[in-house]
Amino acid sequence: MALRDELLKSIWHAFTALDVDKSGKVSKSQLKVLSHNLCTVLKIPHDPVALEEHFKDDDEGPVSNQGYMPYLNKFILDKVTDNFDRQELNKMCWTLCFRKNLQQNELFISNDDAFKIWCIFNFLSEDRYPLIMVTEEIEYFLRKLTEAMGGSWVEERFVDYKLQLDSKQQCLNVWELICLVGSGHFSKGMDKQTLSMAISEVYQELILDVLKQGYMMKKGHKRKNWTERWFVLKPNFISYYVGEDLAEKKGDILLDGSCTVESLQDKEGKKCLFLIKSSQKSFEISASERKKKQEWMQAIQTSVNLLRQGRPAPHHDARQKRRELRLKQQAEQEELELRMRELQTANEAKQLELENMRKALEEAAAKAAEEERKRLQTHTELQECYKIELEREKLVRQQMEEQVAQKSTELEQYLLRVRELEDMYHQLESALEEERRARQDEETVRKLQARLLEEEATKRAELEQIHLRQQRAISETEAEKQELEKERLAKESALQDAMKQLEGLEQERRGALEQYQTVMKKLEDATNNTKTWKHKVAHHEGLLRLIQPGSKGQVKITNWGPSAFTDAELSLREKKWQEMKNQAAHAQ
């Protein structure tokens, strides 16, 4: 990256922060302060009169970004040499812009870590404004950050995040990148210190050009003693310090194309020795292990080879190759889009030609179809006439066949109805005969029951007379009672015999009642059967009328059974019983 482009990126952030209303203009007083600070940091003389002269026609308001660029190029950037502290310039521009754009309390990282990410963004961002970082550079930075934390790169997680970017803008600005790293989305499981150390490591490599660093032993040139030093390898030199805090620098080893790195045999109790020969001195170094020795020798030899070839540091070279590849892909994409547009234009022309041919064919086909339609219409009309006549003849024949079939069906139904009526007549006669027999059985049972009831009533009357006489005899005299005791016992014996006879009669009456219920059941079945046949006969045109038995009055129920007496007999018996009861009461 050219020095001017590198400075412009940092200054752009500062200028954008001063543009409060985002109109692309900054007041002249603010530009004076910015210009004075830039001259101070870049170590060039500041000419305040030049700014006034440059904007003498714009004293009433803010000046534009385009108006400030000529002044910046002519009076500041053209005078810059490489004798200033770049980190001081970055710090100054960072101080002007971070408070406006960054919410520090929402981040997982410190302000110093955010500043380092800001510097890395300026290094990896595209050379166009407003500054953005494309997805390839975002992935490169996150990969190096994950490797520095000692974690493994999860490709799926970045693919998901890349899809989100593609749906939006396919790039990030510096504040979005700081929020992405500060949110811990790609450093889950890592503590804050680990993330901070990883950011510092990537910052030292990409911004400070630190290719490798670590503790090793160095042999002194005067006292020849071995001392542990913190070595920092950069593209042009190796610096060594007392400690890794870089507080006290002890010296530099300048590198050029003539430098060499040689492995040495173990000696003086030191192992993993190697020799660095520069144009001025040679330095004996002892690494802690063989692996570190090989890594340091390879890193130093790579730096020397790059100096011989005149190529920049590896990360600068890799960034340039990535940009060239993106430009090449972009050019190929634009060429492909141009070819696609040309093909689309040619295709549209072909489509238009084909559409015209299709319309011509459709018109010719429409004419042919119209002629064919007329011919078919005439043919169809003739066919319809023949078809109508044929249908008419078929309809007449079908109606005649239906009438013949209907007459045949009516005749069969009439004969079937006659047979059904004859069968119903025979069945009705059988039902009437059964009903007649059931009535005869009912009359016989009723007569038998009446006779039994009369005998039972006679016996009861005799028993009541005996009981009354016995009571009368007892009431006449007590002496007679003793004399008649034996007679009473005899009569009680006779009474018991009579009771047994009465129980026998009761059993006979129950049997007769059961027979009566059986007969009544048969009579009810016969009646139901008669009603059923009556309904069927009435349904079949009322050819027969059933002869039903006369209605019966309400059946009386007494303690001697249903229908044992008529109403008159029952009243007579009640009167006799009442008279006998009254006589017995008077006798007592």
Side-chain angles (χ1 to χ4, degrees), residues 184-278:
H185 181 71
F186 287 93
S187 59
K188 292 181 179 179
M190 300 294 179
D191 56 15
K192 185 175 182 180
Q193 184 178 2
T194 303
L195 178 60
S196 178
M197 292 175 63
I199 294 172
S200 297
E201 183 176 337
V202 178
Y203 171 79
Q204 289 177 358
E205 178 182 352
L206 299 182
I207 306 304
L208 302 182
D209 292 336
V210 176
L211 304 180
K212 191 170 181 59
Q213 57 185 344
Y215 280 108
M216 291 189 296
M217 302 294 292
K218 173 185 167 297
K219 186 176 182 180
H221 290 87
K222 296 179 179 179
R223 292 185 289 178
K224 306 298 182 181
N225 59 333
W226 290 89
T227 308
E228 187 179 45
R229 296 292 184 230
W230 178 261
F231 286 82
V232 177
L233 172 62
K234 293 189 176 183
N236 298 324
F237 58 89
I238 302 174
S239 300
Y240 50 94
Y241 302 82
V242 174
E244 58 183 299
D245 57 357
L246 309 182
E248 184 180 352
K249 185 175 182 181
K250 301 301 291 184
D252 294 320
I253 304 175
L254 298 179
L255 301 179
D256 53 27
S258 61
C259 292
T260 59
V261 184
E262 300 176 0
S263 177
L264 298 178
Q265 296 292 331
D266 297 343
K267 63 180 181 178
E268 300 177 5
K270 297 297 179 183
K271 298 181 179 180
C272 305
L273 297 175
F274 62 94
L275 179 66
I276 302 175
K277 289 184 178 181
S278 67

Side-chain angles (χ1 to χ4, degrees), residues 32 57 112 131 278 355 361 403 476:
K32 287 181 180 180
D57 296 332
D112 185 57
L131 293 176
S278 67
E355 184 67 19
L361 290 174
Q403 290 178 359
E476 288 177 357

Side-chain angles (χ1 to χ4, degrees), residues 455-471 490-503 505 577 580 584:
E455 291 179 358
E456 180 183 357
T458 304
K459 291 293 183 179
R460 285 182 180 275
E462 291 176 357
L463 289 173
E464 290 174 357
Q465 292 293 331
I466 293 171
H467 182 70
L468 291 172
R469 285 196 298 271
Q470 185 181 13
Q471 291 293 332
K491 288 182 179 180
E492 284 180 357
S493 177
L495 180 61
Q496 290 179 357
D497 294 336
M499 289 297 291
K500 290 180 180 180
Q501 292 178 5
L502 183 61
E503 290 176 0
L505 291 173
W577 171 259
M580 291 173 65

Side-chain angles (χ1 to χ4, degrees), residues 291-429:
K291 180 181 179 182
K292 289 187 176 181
K293 170 186 173 181
Q294 294 297 330
E295 291 176 354
W296 272 99
M297 290 180 64
Q298 184 177 358
I300 296 171
Q301 189 63 51
T302 301
S303 298
V304 172
N305 292 337
L306 291 175
L307 290 172
R308 289 173 183 170
Q309 299 170 8
R311 293 169 57 189
H315 53 276
H316 288 273
D317 193 24
R319 184 194 61 179
Q320 186 62 30
K321 288 181 178 179
R322 291 195 304 272
R323 288 188 177 180
E324 292 175 355
L325 179 61
R326 282 200 300 275
L327 292 174
K328 181 179 178 182
Q329 291 175 349
Q330 185 176 359
E332 292 176 352
Q333 182 68 21
E334 291 176 354
E335 183 180 357
L336 180 62
E337 291 177 356
L338 178 61
R339 291 184 60 187
M340 289 295 293
R341 286 195 294 270
E342 293 175 353
L343 290 174
Q344 186 176 2
T345 304
N347 186 32
E348 290 176 355
K350 288 289 184 183
Q351 289 290 338
L352 183 60
E353 184 179 355
L354 291 174
E355 184 67 19
N356 295 331
M357 293 176 63
R358 184 183 63 80
K359 289 181 179 179
L361 290 174
E362 286 180 353
E363 291 176 357
K367 291 180 180 180
E370 182 65 21
E371 294 178 358
E372 181 67 17
R373 185 186 64 78
K374 292 180 179 179
R375 187 184 65 80
L376 290 176
Q377 184 177 1
T378 305
H379 182 69
T380 304
E381 290 175 353
L382 292 175
Q383 283 185 343
E384 289 294 331
C385 292
Y386 295 143
K387 187 181 294 184
I388 290 171
E389 293 294 332
L390 183 61
E391 289 292 334
R392 188 178 300 165
E393 293 178 1
K394 287 183 179 180
L395 182 61
V396 172
R397 185 175 64 182
Q398 184 176 1
Q399 290 176 352
M400 294 179 65
E401 291 177 353
E402 289 178 353
Q403 290 178 359
V404 172
Q406 184 178 1
K407 295 295 183 181
S408 300
T409 304
E410 291 177 355
L411 180 59
E412 291 177 357
Q413 291 178 352
Y414 177 76
L415 294 176
L416 180 62
R417 189 189 307 173
V418 170
R419 286 195 294 271
E420 288 178 352
L421 291 173
E422 291 177 352
D423 293 340
M424 288 167 53
Y425 178 76
H426 293 309
Q427 292 177 2
L428 183 59
E429 286 182 344

